[in-house]
Amino acid sequence: MSIRHEQKEQRRALILQSALDLFIRKGYGETKVADIAKAADMSMGLLFHYFDSKEKLYEELIRIGCERLKMDFNFINESPLAIFTATAEDLFDMISTNPSAAKMFVLMENAQHLDSLSEDLKEMLTEADKLIKKSIPLIVKGQLLGEIKQGNAEALAVAFWCSIQGIAQYIALHPETPCPNTKWVISILENREVD
């Protein structure tokens, strides 16, 4: 990769990071392009060279967030509890090592409440929101195997995913906070009853 191309990629990443920080602190409506340019230490003209508008910049962040939330739960021979454990470990590792990851959780949650999004973005967010629904069959399988506690599978999925969402949001606002132990979150699902 050429030095010029690398510099362009670094500038683009800086713009995205600056915008992400501002969008979660000030909100989409209160964030101005001038704010983003100032935070990225560049002119508005240079920023517009990378993104045509604040909307396009926001859309790119949503696309990145949706891409990171794509998870496939079609593991035929794996333990459902092991899949949830690995997923939580991966997410907590990502949050611990990359401060932007926690902020993406906040951005994605806030985006769910914006009416002004394009239909394309609304569709992407709907797909990302299906994570709970996609995990229900895996919970049911785990219940049948005795790994996951009995109870309403959808309610268990909500408890699991919302705890991760809440943890990520808290860490985004308080970056010095350590991630909880994965086992604590897994205990929401794990069947601890003794036979």
Side-chain angles (χ1 to χ4, degrees):
M1 182 182 317
S2 72
I3 291 174
R4 183 167 166 76
H5 181 72
E6 194 172 305
Q7 288 173 333
K8 286 179 83 170
E9 288 301 311
Q10 287 174 347
R11 267 193 231 111
R12 187 175 191 283
L14 178 61
I15 293 168
L16 288 167
Q17 181 60 54
S18 299
L20 177 61
D21 290 343
L22 287 166
F23 288 144
I24 67 163
R25 273 190 305 125
K26 295 175 72 171
Y28 176 76
E30 294 298 313
T31 301
K32 309 291 181 237
V33 174
D35 299 332
I36 299 168
K38 182 178 179 182
D41 196 27
M42 64 181 62
S43 69
M44 285 179 43
L46 183 57
L47 187 143
F48 283 126
H49 176 73
Y50 289 88
F51 296 97
D52 295 341
S53 64
K54 178 175 87 167
E55 292 79 15
K56 294 292 184 194
L57 179 49
Y58 193 76
E59 286 177 13
E60 181 62 19
L61 285 168
I62 297 297
R63 280 183 192 15
I64 292 167
C66 286
E67 194 59 40
R68 289 184 184 165
L69 286 178
K70 284 185 180 175
M71 293 185 186
D72 183 15
F73 291 115
N74 295 324
F75 301 97
I76 301 198
N77 296 322
E78 295 209 32
S79 152
L81 195 61
I83 293 167
F84 282 110
T85 302
T87 300
E89 286 172 350
D90 289 347
L91 289 171
F92 285 169
D93 183 54
M94 184 173 60
I95 290 167
S96 295
T97 58
N98 180 359
S100 296
K103 293 175 183 178
M104 285 302 268
F105 277 87
V106 176
L107 181 85
M108 298 295 286
E109 176 62 28
N110 291 344
Q112 298 279 349
H113 307 287
L114 287 178
D115 294 329
S116 60
L117 294 178
S118 69
E119 289 304 314
D120 182 41
L121 277 185
K122 287 179 183 175
E123 179 72 27
M124 289 175 73
L125 286 167
T126 301
E127 279 302 308
D129 200 35
K130 290 181 182 174
L131 201 51
I132 289 172
K133 296 285 186 214
K134 287 180 181 178
S135 63
I136 293 171
L138 191 59
I139 289 174
V140 170
K141 180 180 175 185
Q143 289 172 326
L144 292 172
L145 293 172
E147 297 179 344
I148 294 179
K149 64 181 66 168
Q150 294 302 309
N152 183 290
E154 183 175 7
L156 284 166
V158 167
F160 176 76
W161 289 110
C162 288
S163 68
I164 290 176
Q165 174 73 29
I167 290 164
Q169 286 184 263
Y170 189 85
I171 290 173
L173 298 174
H174 308 281
E176 71 287 350
T177 305
C179 263
N181 187 312
T182 305
K183 291 177 185 175
W184 302 340
V185 175
I186 290 303
S187 70
I188 292 169
L189 299 174
E190 188 174 19
N191 183 9
R192 293 184 175 256
E193 293 178 11
V194 179
D195 292 320

